[in-house]
Amino acid sequence: MAHLFEHLPEIIEHSVLDTLKIVPFLFLTYLFMEFLEHKSGDAAARWLRRSGKIGPLVGGAMGVVPQCGFSAAASGLYAGRIITVGTLVAVYLSTSDEMLPILIAEGAGATLILKILGVKLLIGILAGFAIDLSLRLFIKKKQEEEHIHEFCEHEGCHCEEGILRSALHHTLHIAIFLLLITLLLNTAVFFLGQERLASVFSSVPVLGHVLA
């Protein structure tokens, strides 16, 4: 325990820095959502939902571009019912935030990196379209679609106080949650070590992927 307290400032520092990297993406996402709700009304949101038929293609293509926090931004858009679950999954599967620095550091060739990115992109797009198609075929559409303002009400904020303040409220809410999760993960890495923690997920091929 004393060993933990000795390294606690370092764990907190890394957790805060990791969270701060994502905060700008979160803020811009919620600011965009608030703009749709307050300025553009439901018409713009309905247009985005209709364009969700090609959402997995767009989400997969954007996710494969190296950028920290885009998956978090996509999660916010999905929470506001702006993008489909298939688009969200396409982003998750194609995203390559940490992969590229690791491959480059290990001296992987450009051809190998491009092949991996291409496979991730293809899997993300196909999975996204398959999920959206399955949901449309097997799950009945709600009679009343949830709108962005209903998401805002669920979050317990006062959207009438202004776009900026409401976006800051959402960003702070999620950033605190991310900070707590990051603290837990960094503490686990400290106790178990990176290699041992990775072995938990890689030792069982299928279950390990599900856990991850």
Side-chain angles (χ1 to χ4, degrees):
M1 185 61 70
H3 192 49
L4 172 62
F5 283 118
E6 180 182 347
H7 291 82
L8 189 59
E10 183 181 354
I11 295 174
I12 295 176
E13 179 185 358
H14 283 293
S15 301
V16 170
L17 289 175
D18 289 340
T19 303
L20 288 177
K21 292 176 183 177
I22 301 177
V23 166
F25 287 89
L26 290 173
F27 176 71
L28 291 175
T29 301
Y30 286 121
L31 193 64
F32 172 67
M33 291 169 62
E34 293 297 331
F35 174 81
L36 287 180
E37 170 61 22
H38 289 266
K39 300 297 182 181
S40 301
D42 287 338
R46 284 196 300 270
W47 180 82
L48 283 171
R49 277 193 290 270
R50 291 193 190 103
S51 66
K53 292 181 179 179
I54 62 169
L57 176 63
V58 177
M62 294 186 68
V64 80
V65 177
Q67 50 189 316
C68 178
F70 181 69
S71 55
S75 300
L77 293 174
Y78 171 72
R81 299 299 185 267
I82 295 179
I83 63 175
T84 65
V85 64
T87 302
L88 181 65
V89 170
V91 172
Y92 283 167
L93 292 178
S94 67
T95 188
S96 55
D97 290 350
E98 287 79 23
M99 184 196 73
L100 285 181
I102 293 174
L103 288 176
I104 293 173
E106 293 295 326
T111 302
L112 176 61
I113 293 176
L114 289 176
K115 285 181 180 179
I116 294 175
L117 290 177
V119 170
K120 285 170 63 65
L121 174 62
L122 182 62
I123 291 175
I125 292 174
L126 292 178
F129 279 121
I131 289 172
D132 280 348
L133 179 60
S134 299
L135 291 177
R136 282 197 294 268
L137 290 176
F138 298 108
I139 298 180
K140 293 181 179 179
K141 189 177 181 181
K142 293 181 180 179
Q143 292 182 351
E144 294 182 2
E145 290 185 341
E146 189 172 16
H147 297 284
I148 299 174
H149 68 271
E150 291 172 342
F151 164 74
C152 184
E153 291 171 0
H154 294 331
E155 289 289 299
C157 70
H158 302 286
C159 297
E160 67 276 2
E161 294 179 354
I163 293 175
L164 184 62
R165 186 168 180 176
S166 183
L168 285 172
H169 173 92
H170 288 305
T171 302
L172 179 62
H173 181 83
I174 299 300
I176 292 174
F177 173 78
L178 288 174
L179 177 60
L180 293 175
I181 295 298
T182 307
L183 278 170
L184 290 175
L185 289 174
N186 285 338
T187 303
V189 170
F190 172 78
F191 275 114
L192 300 177
Q194 209 163 6
E195 293 182 359
R196 186 180 298 177
L197 187 63
S199 68
V200 174
F201 298 103
S202 60
S203 57
V204 184
V206 178
L207 183 60
H209 288 81
V210 174
L211 289 175

